[in-house]
Amino acid sequence: MQIKISDHFTFAKLLRFTAPTAAMMLFTSIYAIVDGLFVANFVGNTEFAGLNFIYPMLQMISSLGMMLGSGGSALVAKTLGEAQPERANQLFSLIIRATIVLGVIASAIGAWLVPDVARGLGATGQLLEASTLYGRIFLVGLTTMMLQAVFQSFFTAGGRPHTGLWFVIGTGITNMALDWLLIVPLDMGLAGAAWATVIASLAGGLLPLIWFLRPNPSTLQLGKAVRDWRALGKACTNGSSEMMANIAMAVVGMLYNYQLLKYTGADGVAAYGIIMYAGFGFAAILLGFAFGVSPLIAYNHGARRTDELRSLFTKSVTLVTIFDSVMTITIFLVVRPVAGLFAAGNQNLLDLTVQGGRIYALAFLLIGFNILGGILFTALNNGLLSAVIAFCRTLVFECLCVLVLPGFFGVPGIWASAVVAEVLAFLVTLSIVLGARRHYGYL
């Protein structure tokens, strides 16, 4: 039976509704991990380090898609809750057009800046060459990657998260198959990994575009867009917290790479990449769950169903608390075998990764609540509070920690930066959630 966003949600129904979105995010992270696995095992450690070195910049630019997807889907879901389906579809169409235009512009500017950014962060020689090669090819597919991120949010807002999951699975299988083909038999090296991502993004971005252009069973249909620049600005402002979180993560990633290059050399950069691959998978589940809940919160906020809003929030916090605990234990246990898949006989790299991963795992005790807190206010169309949480969590706290703690504790201080930052962010998120509870009625 099809679940509608207007339904009452029990724990079981909430898990069923959000599971496809969590799976979408998880599967996306998995095929990014496969990229790294192929490069580490069939190309070389320097190329693997180059991929990870430039990836924060690419993540920063790609976050434009998350901004439009999260902010736009919250606005559209709220409009559906206000019983304005025609306007919801016009806003949806406007956001898709804006994504395409913004993607083309950002792709051109990003490709021009890639070598200067890598050089500014300390890359030289082969590391600089590898970073520039991967970054410039990756940005060829930026527009379709942004569309993929936007459509992931709108499949959920349109009540068809399972359909979105199938598109993501198809894209992921295509990417992984192309990784093998271009890197192993065709011996294209790091360029093969980049082109595999670009070609696969065509399936992830263009096929959903065709699906929404045709008559479909969701509540959303691409058609004539309303020229409402204020609404577009609202969507961008509302989704800016998710973009800020990704930009902040990218800036933090650059700082980690800078500090690790300084303290440990290229092996430290590679170790951070491995830890991030493992972390992406677990964080993707939490992020996917939060994105899955977002349109439900937005719809019930628009429909003024306070009881259902309160029920959704309480259930979400309960589930996130369970997820956080399980993931912390799991990361601590699997970090060594996961590191072994990438280290390829490099004992120093293996030791650095295991040490860093076990410290980093402690951050997952609180990360889910901080993610949920930010996306809660995006769903409530309060981009300011959402942005404050995202800004403090990474751009302030984690940047500060990764710059200061190594001076006192050395390399362990670098790994502990995420843990300290999540604790501080939890205190900020908790105070904001409690302070705004009466205004929105979720508690």
Side-chain angles (χ1 to χ4, degrees), residues 78-233:
K78 179 175 180 288
T79 306
L80 288 170
E82 294 167 344
Q84 301 181 63
E86 184 178 352
R87 177 166 173 77
N89 279 288
Q90 290 173 341
L91 290 171
F92 169 51
S93 302
L94 172 66
I95 290 163
I96 297 303
R97 285 165 171 78
T99 301
I100 295 171
V101 172
L102 192 57
V104 171
I105 295 171
S107 177
I109 296 173
W112 176 52
L113 290 175
V114 162
D116 292 329
V117 171
R119 194 178 294 111
L121 290 170
T124 58
Q126 288 183 312
L127 185 63
L128 176 60
E129 291 176 10
S131 298
T132 301
L133 174 67
Y134 186 86
R136 283 185 162 168
I137 296 174
F138 180 97
L139 288 167
V140 171
L142 178 66
T143 302
T144 47
M145 292 176 200
M146 285 175 57
L147 281 173
Q148 181 179 345
V150 170
F151 282 128
Q152 283 179 7
S153 295
F154 277 110
F155 273 118
T156 304
R160 303 292 297 185
H162 287 85
T163 305
L165 174 59
W166 285 115
F167 277 112
V168 170
I169 290 174
T171 301
I173 292 173
T174 302
N175 195 349
M176 290 185 279
L178 287 171
D179 272 330
W180 174 83
L181 176 65
L182 298 181
I183 294 174
V184 183
L186 297 183
D187 196 24
M188 290 176 64
L190 185 61
W195 281 117
T197 301
V198 170
I199 296 169
S201 74
L202 296 175
L206 296 183
L207 292 181
L209 180 66
I210 296 170
W211 192 86
F212 277 110
L213 281 168
R214 297 169 59 85
N216 64 76
S218 79
T219 55
L220 298 174
Q221 173 86 46
L222 277 173
K224 185 178 179 180
V226 61
R227 293 187 179 181
D228 190 336
W229 308 121
R230 185 175 181 179
L232 180 60

Side-chain angles (χ1 to χ4, degrees), residues 3-359:
I3 301 175
K4 300 177 182 178
I5 60 175
S6 57
D7 289 350
H8 167 69
F9 282 81
T10 60
F11 276 106
K13 185 177 284 190
L14 183 59
L15 284 171
R16 282 173 53 204
F17 186 83
T18 56
T21 310
M24 277 192 272
M25 299 296 292
L26 176 61
F27 207 85
T28 300
S29 70
I30 287 173
Y31 65 72
I33 293 169
V34 172
D35 270 1
L37 271 173
F38 273 100
V39 172
N41 288 283
F42 294 99
V43 184
N45 284 338
T46 301
E47 288 79 6
F48 179 60
L51 184 161
N52 290 298
F53 196 80
I54 201 61
Y55 193 78
M57 176 194 174
L58 306 177
Q59 179 187 13
M60 186 183 298
I61 300 172
S62 300
S63 67
L64 293 167
M66 185 167 285
M67 173 190 72
L68 289 163
S70 60
S73 62
L75 179 62
V76 168
K78 179 175 180 288
T79 306
L80 288 170
E82 294 167 344
Q84 301 181 63
E86 184 178 352
R87 177 166 173 77
N89 279 288
Q90 290 173 341
L91 290 171
F92 169 51
S93 302
L94 172 66
I95 290 163
I96 297 303
R97 285 165 171 78
T99 301
I100 295 171
V101 172
L102 192 57
V104 171
I105 295 171
S107 177
I109 296 173
W112 176 52
L113 290 175
V114 162
D116 292 329
V117 171
R119 194 178 294 111
L121 290 170
T124 58
Q126 288 183 312
L127 185 63
L128 176 60
E129 291 176 10
S131 298
T132 301
L133 174 67
Y134 186 86
R136 283 185 162 168
I137 296 174
F138 180 97
L139 288 167
V140 171
L142 178 66
T143 302
T144 47
M145 292 176 200
M146 285 175 57
L147 281 173
Q148 181 179 345
V150 170
F151 282 128
Q152 283 179 7
S153 295
F154 277 110
F155 273 118
T156 304
R160 303 292 297 185
H162 287 85
T163 305
L165 174 59
W166 285 115
F167 277 112
V168 170
I169 290 174
T171 301
I173 292 173
T174 302
N175 195 349
M176 290 185 279
L178 287 171
D179 272 330
W180 174 83
L181 176 65
L182 298 181
I183 294 174
V184 183
L186 297 183
D187 196 24
M188 290 176 64
L190 185 61
W195 281 117
T197 301
V198 170
I199 296 169
S201 74
L202 296 175
L206 296 183
L207 292 181
L209 180 66
I210 296 170
W211 192 86
F212 277 110
L213 281 168
R214 297 169 59 85
N216 64 76
S218 79
T219 55
L220 298 174
Q221 173 86 46
L222 277 173
K224 185 178 179 180
V226 61
R227 293 187 179 181
D228 190 336
W229 308 121
R230 185 175 181 179
L232 180 60
K234 173 67 175 174
C236 292
T237 302
N238 195 34
S240 63
S241 57
E242 278 65 50
M243 183 183 72
M244 177 63 71
N246 272 267
I247 289 176
M249 286 173 62
V251 172
V252 168
M254 292 176 181
L255 288 175
Y256 270 101
N257 286 332
Y258 177 81
Q259 292 285 64
L260 287 164
L261 199 60
K262 174 182 173 182
Y263 279 86
T264 65
D267 277 353
V269 175
Y272 177 66
I274 296 169
I275 293 169
M276 286 303 98
Y277 281 137
F280 284 159
F282 290 102
I285 296 173
L286 294 167
L287 196 59
F289 173 79
F291 276 133
V293 171
S294 177
L296 304 179
I297 292 172
Y299 179 90
N300 285 287
H301 174 55
R304 301 185 184 278
R305 297 169 65 190
T306 305
D307 289 345
E308 185 63 23
L309 182 62
R310 188 179 299 116
S311 172
L312 282 167
F313 178 76
T314 304
K315 289 180 173 65
S316 297
V317 170
T318 302
L319 290 171
V320 160
T321 302
I322 295 170
F323 294 158
D324 279 351
S325 303
V326 171
M327 287 177 186
T328 301
I329 296 170
T330 304
I331 293 174
F332 193 89
L333 294 175
V334 305
V335 64
R336 180 172 287 276
V338 169
L341 296 174
F342 291 88
N346 186 332
Q347 188 62 41
N348 184 52
L349 175 56
L350 179 63
D351 292 343
L352 279 170
T353 306
V354 172
Q355 178 200 49
R358 287 182 171 169
I359 297 173

